[in-house]
């Protein structure tokens, strides 16, 4: 397996396929870079170089004791980008990966990134605070923590229902999709998943979004039950200097999988555009 040993000894598993302009994918909690299968195959066939990695503690990367925070996630990504010498790249992040992209681009992306995409992203801030009164109550994240810590196998299987909108009337749940989500989740370390909840729910990306001056595409489903659109995308777009927002009626949090054809087409149009 291709891996990069980081400065602290952590081994990061990555995929690096094809040639051409790099499109770099950052996955969500608690998954792996396998969650990008539909996008990586699509863009590989379009002539792009596609790159993705398993975040530390996730998938096939080292199950580290610590480092389960956005700053470390972004620093790890920066080490991988430097190792692969990726330039003129488009960075695409889903959910927690969207936060990772925002922090990476703001802190490390100068001269290496031309565009960014935030899909169903946790930016700018999920949890409710005095400064973010309409955010998601902390009790919701405490519940995710408790279930992850005490009954992860069953909880992860249940989590696929709202993740893909399979709990909505008239929607057919695909067993293979649910099983694949569960497989990816259970490959990772329970401690990484537990501490990662704080990372995606309590990290404030406001200043990161304000700093980014490259074109940013924000995609969000209007029926996202995991990262509500009003908490995330509709606030994030107001903070970006050069952002474009596309919303999708009825689309769920996991829309890169359930609605891959639509998402891929919009990604390709953005990447090819002059914006």
């Amino acid at each position: 397996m291709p891996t990069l040993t980081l400065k602290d000894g952590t081994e990061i598993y990555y995929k690096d396929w094809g040639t051409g302009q790099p499109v770099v994918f950052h996955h969500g909690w608690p998954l792996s870079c396998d969650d990008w299968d539909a996008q990586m195959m699509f863009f590989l066939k379009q002539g792009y170089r596609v790159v993705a990695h398993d975040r530390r503690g996730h998938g096939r990367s080292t199950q580290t004791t610590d480092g389960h925070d956005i700053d470390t996630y972004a620093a790890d990504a920066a080490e991988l980008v430097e190792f692969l010498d990726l330039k003129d790249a488009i960075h695409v992040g889903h959910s927690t990966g969207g936060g990772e992209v925002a922090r990476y681009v703001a802190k490390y992306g100068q001269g290496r990134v031309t565009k960014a995409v935030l899909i169903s992203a946790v930016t700018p801030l999920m949890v409710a605070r005095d400064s973010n009164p309409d955010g998601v109550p902390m009790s919701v994240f405490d519940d995710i923590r408790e279930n992850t810590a005490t009954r992860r196998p069953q909880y992860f299987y249940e989590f696929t229902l709202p993740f893909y909108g399979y709990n909505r009337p008239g929607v057919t749940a695909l067993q293979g999709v649910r099983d694949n989500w569960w497989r990816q989740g259970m490959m990772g370390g329970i401690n990484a998943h537990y501490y990662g909840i704080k990372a995606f729910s309590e990290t404030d990306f406001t200043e990161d979004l304000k700093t980014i001056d490259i074109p940013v595409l924000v995609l969000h489903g209007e029926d996202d039950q995991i990262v509500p659109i009003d908490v995330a995308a509709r606030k994030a777009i107001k903070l970006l200097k050069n952002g474009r927002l596309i919303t999708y009626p009825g689309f769920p949090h996991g829309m890169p999988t359930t609605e891959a054809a639509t998402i891929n087409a919009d990604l390709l149009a953005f990447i090819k555009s002059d914006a």
Side-chain angles (χ1 to χ4, degrees):
M1 295 193 306
T3 60
L4 167 66
T5 301
L6 303 177
K7 295 173 184 176
D8 71 351
T10 300
E11 289 190 354
I12 296 293
Y13 169 83
Y14 67 91
K15 301 175 184 180
D16 181 8
W17 305 338
T19 58
Q21 186 178 20
V23 183
V24 185
F25 296 95
H26 303 249
H27 67 79
W29 178 95
L31 304 174
S32 75
C33 63
D34 292 352
D35 199 44
W36 289 111
D37 281 356
Q39 284 68 45
M40 292 189 72
M41 282 300 298
F42 175 82
F43 282 98
L44 182 65
K45 290 180 178 180
Q46 293 288 331
Y48 291 89
R49 179 182 179 184
V50 292
V51 177
H53 70 286
D54 290 351
R55 188 174 298 120
R56 66 167 60 215
H58 296 66
R60 290 138 293 202
S61 292
T62 303
Q63 294 191 11
T64 56
T65 300
D66 50 22
H68 308 299
D69 58 84
I70 294 296
D71 282 338
T72 305
Y73 296 164
D76 291 352
E79 279 197 57
L80 179 63
V81 166
E82 184 175 351
F83 171 72
L84 297 176
D85 195 25
L86 304 178
K87 298 176 181 176
D88 192 31
I90 299 97
H91 282 256
V92 183
H94 177 254
S95 197
T96 302
E100 181 177 299
V101 166
R103 182 62 49 88
Y104 166 77
V105 172
K107 193 170 183 179
Y108 302 101
Q110 187 68 34
R112 288 191 178 271
V113 184
T114 59
K115 294 179 181 179
V117 184
L118 308 178
I119 304 177
S120 312
V122 297
T123 52
L125 174 63
M126 290 228 11
V127 73
R129 292 178 176 167
D130 290 344
S131 59
N132 191 42
D134 54 349
V136 178
M138 180 64 80
S139 60
V140 172
F141 303 113
D142 287 340
D143 182 69
I144 298 173
R145 261 185 284 269
E146 176 66 16
N147 280 283
T148 297
T150 62
R151 52 186 296 270
R152 184 172 68 141
Q154 183 60 31
Y155 180 63
F156 276 12
Y157 187 66
E158 295 165 357
F159 201 83
T160 60
L161 293 174
F163 192 95
Y164 291 116
Y166 287 162
N167 57 351
R168 295 307 196 203
V171 177
T172 300
L174 299 180
Q175 192 65 41
V177 171
R178 297 188 68 189
D179 289 349
N180 190 44
W181 195 101
W182 187 90
R183 174 192 66 84
Q184 291 178 67
M186 294 305 296
M187 286 172 67
I190 190 171
N191 66 322
H193 295 159
Y194 181 87
Y195 293 113
I197 296 162
K198 179 180 177 69
F200 75 66
S201 64
E202 298 183 45
T203 304
D204 191 338
F205 298 97
T206 299
E207 295 307 315
D208 299 289
L209 297 177
K210 289 180 178 179
T211 299
I212 297 170
D213 54 11
I214 60 171
V216 179
L217 178 64
V218 179
L219 306 179
H220 217 103
E222 294 178 14
D223 193 34
D224 191 324
Q225 300 172 65
I226 308 301
V227 180
I229 189 171
D230 289 334
V231 171
R234 288 188 174 130
K235 289 185 177 181
I237 195 64
K238 296 177 182 178
L239 299 170
L240 291 163
K241 297 175 183 176
N242 190 6
R244 180 190 175 200
L245 173 63
I246 301 177
T247 69
Y248 304 92
F251 281 21
H253 187 66
M255 62 185 187
T257 296
T258 62
E259 306 292 344
T262 298
I263 300 303
N264 290 348
D266 286 342
L267 286 175
L268 183 62
F270 173 69
I271 289 171
K272 288 187 169 183
S273 71
D274 294 331

